[in-house]
Amino acid sequence: MRVSIIGGGTVGEETRETAADTGRLVAQQGHTVVCGGLGGVMEAACRGAKEVGGDTVGILPTERRADANEYVDVPVATGLGHARNGLVVMNGDAVIAIDGADGTLTEVGFSLVFDRPIAGLDTHDVPGVKACETPEEAVRYVESELGV
């Protein structure tokens, strides 16, 4: 299964560690992390996944694969800017949102449009997003929604 981990590009240390823990747990369960490929939550989730030998995909807003953070295994350059947010969601079977601002909110919207189960950790309070307290709860939720 692929899990899209979405969230802020600029975050504090606590959010960064939550994202790393989430990426680590997703990878430990044998799933691939999909993200926007840049910094903040995206980089931390990829770092966590790589620490346990997981696989990562970064769907970049730019035209350069080299813009991906150092923990992305498969960088996908799109040149689409924020329009790539739909692709981040479409390339996951489920979504975990961590923190985030307007860009994350668009990805939450795409998650609902594309009928992806979505767990939220300290993120937008939107109908259809399962609020979770811990990364473990978020991973369990998306797995259960997909029968994994």
Side-chain angles (χ1 to χ4, degrees):
M1 171 169 91
R2 289 181 172 185
V3 179
S4 296
I5 299 179
I6 61 175
T10 304
V11 297
E13 189 57 35
E14 184 177 339
T15 300
R16 191 179 335 279
E17 286 312 307
T18 297
D21 290 345
T22 304
R24 194 174 300 112
L25 289 166
V26 165
Q28 285 173 331
Q29 291 299 108
H31 311 309
T32 298
V33 169
V34 176
C35 70
L38 298 177
V41 164
M42 300 167 277
E43 182 174 19
C46 289
R47 176 176 49 86
K50 296 310 300 172
E51 287 173 354
V52 295
D55 297 318
T56 61
V57 176
I59 311 291
L60 298 160
T62 63
E63 296 176 3
R64 294 171 20 99
R65 290 188 311 262
D67 291 341
N69 72 64
E70 66 181 291
Y71 305 104
V72 170
D73 294 317
V74 181
V76 179
T78 69
L80 295 172
H82 288 291
R84 71 71 155 89
N85 290 357
L87 298 174
V88 172
V89 170
M90 286 176 61
N91 282 281
D93 301 301
V95 177
I96 299 175
I98 303 169
D99 187 58
D102 297 342
T104 303
L105 184 57
T106 67
E107 291 169 319
V108 167
F110 281 123
S111 301
L112 299 171
V113 167
F114 297 131
D115 199 29
R116 300 299 196 265
I118 179 168
L121 293 164
D122 194 30
T123 194
H124 302 280
D125 183 15
V126 175
V129 176
K130 168 66 174 167
C132 297
E133 296 295 320
T134 66
E136 293 84 2
E137 181 183 0
V139 172
R140 277 195 311 270
Y141 172 75
V142 297
E143 286 182 327
S144 70
E145 287 296 297
L146 292 173
V148 175

